[in-house]
Amino acid sequence: MSKLFLVPTPIGNLEDITLRALRILKEEADLVVAEDTRKTGQLLKHYGINKPMAAFHQHNEHRMLQQLVGRIAAGECMALVTDAGTPAISDPGFLLVRACITANIEVECLPGPTAFVPALVNSGLPADRFVFEGFLPHKKGRQKRITAIAQQPYTIILYESPHRLIKTLVQLSEVLGSSRKVSVARELTKIYEENIRGTLEEVITFYKNKEIKGEIVIVVEGKNIQKDDEQLED
Ligand code: SAM
């Protein structure tokens, strides 16, 4: 059946894969397109799946696009997976989805693991409206993005690496104010999962002088216009 499936894979805990994801990888897909064929090969082996694979990552995705679209259009069923979580969420996928839609190919993303949803829900910050910012730019445009984020009235979600956590929290504190609430989710779904909640100042104090390891999502309270106005009147 000619189709592109986007198949979410665990972000740590190997139990976090759906029965449908396993069936599609095992039975329906003719080809598994993977960000890292070695990592995905190990994952598939864990689930007892043996499938032909092709590499699709940020360095070859433009080059591979037409070839993959051509193969699906010719009748193949493809499953796109990334190293962890949902494809296209801070990972390769968007270009392939867009190219398939343009070529009138059916696209189906399975629901499944992604880091930002448990991080948001664990934060205790409003989850009814939120903005997903992904990774902040490392250099060019970083300050401008933080300034824009500061005005967001909705809960803000950022992906971050452990060695940049303190720098990012300090920069957020400088622009958003040290009393803005934040939650740092680390190593979600893994043995040492940790959710540290507090003001930016408190969470910076918690992490300062600690060796920070693992994968991280930062969830920040949106700008509370009413509270900020009240503070200005005081
Ligand atoms: N596609 C993935 C998803 O759906 O969440 C995101 C891929 S992105 C390249 C990797 C980033 O996701 C990490 O740097 C971290 O910010 C976040 N992340 C992934 N797994 C995580 C985990 N177990 N705990 C906390 N954050 C995680």
Side-chain angles (χ1 to χ4, degrees):
M1 185 193 35
S2 182
K3 191 167 183 174
L4 172 69
F5 283 105
L6 290 98
V7 181
T9 52
I11 57 165
N13 188 326
L14 293 178
E15 289 177 356
D16 292 336
I17 190 151
T18 68
L19 296 174
R20 190 150 78 101
L22 292 176
R23 182 178 56 76
I24 281 159
L25 291 169
K26 195 169 197 161
E27 293 168 22
E28 295 206 24
D30 299 302
L31 180 73
V32 174
V33 180
E35 187 182 8
D36 181 332
T37 51
R38 194 184 52 86
K39 275 191 191 159
T40 299
Q42 285 167 354
L43 189 77
L44 294 186
K45 196 169 167 209
H46 176 85
Y47 298 120
I49 298 169
N50 185 11
K51 266 290 147 91
M53 280 193 282
F56 184 71
H57 42 69
Q58 58 175 6
H59 303 295
N60 77 350
E61 59 179 337
H62 287 274
R63 186 157 41 85
M64 288 291 289
L65 222 45
Q66 286 320 314
Q67 193 194 119
L68 295 177
V69 170
R71 285 179 67 166
I72 308 173
E76 284 188 52
C77 173
M78 256 175 223
L80 175 66
V81 302
T82 53
D83 291 354
T86 300
I89 301 298
S90 293
D91 262 342
F94 156 68
L95 292 179
L96 186 58
V97 168
R98 189 175 61 178
C100 285
I101 292 169
T102 306
N104 281 322
I105 290 168
E106 211 181 322
V107 173
E108 188 173 343
C109 177
L110 272 59
T114 189
F116 77 84
V117 173
L120 169 66
V121 176
N122 285 342
S123 74
L125 293 167
D128 52 346
R129 302 182 82 177
F130 58 88
V131 278
F132 175 71
E133 287 281 342
F135 290 98
L136 286 173
H138 294 173
K139 291 193 177 99
K140 197 166 177 281
R142 185 178 171 90
Q143 201 57 36
K144 203 169 160 193
R145 182 82 73 86
I146 293 175
T147 308
I149 283 174
Q151 297 309 316
Q152 274 294 347
Y154 312 122
T155 303
I156 303 137
I157 304 167
L158 296 164
Y159 280 174
E160 195 47 282
S161 68
H163 67 273
R164 250 186 234 102
L165 175 65
I166 289 287
K167 177 182 169 186
T168 298
L169 291 176
V170 168
Q171 287 180 324
L172 288 170
S173 171
E174 282 164 5
V175 182
L176 280 60
S178 59
S179 61
R180 193 79 78 95
K181 285 188 196 146
V182 66
S183 172
V184 173
R186 201 174 63 81
E187 297 288 73
L188 287 162
T189 79
K190 302 182 196 176
I191 298 170
Y192 298 108
E193 171 167 343
E194 172 185 87
N195 290 276
I196 302 299
R197 310 171 183 90
T199 62
L200 276 163
E201 188 177 10
E202 287 162 351
V203 174
I204 291 167
T205 305
F206 176 86
Y207 278 113
K208 230 173 195 162
N209 307 321
K210 279 199 173 67
E211 192 193 358
I212 307 164
K213 285 187 187 158
E215 299 193 276
I216 283 164
V217 183
I218 304 175
V219 185
V220 193
E221 178 186 29
K223 182 180 162 102
N224 184 334
I225 295 157
Q226 203 183 340
K227 191 173 101 191
D228 289 356
D229 285 352
E230 280 166 12
Q231 276 172 355
L232 281 177
E233 282 162 18
D234 286 347

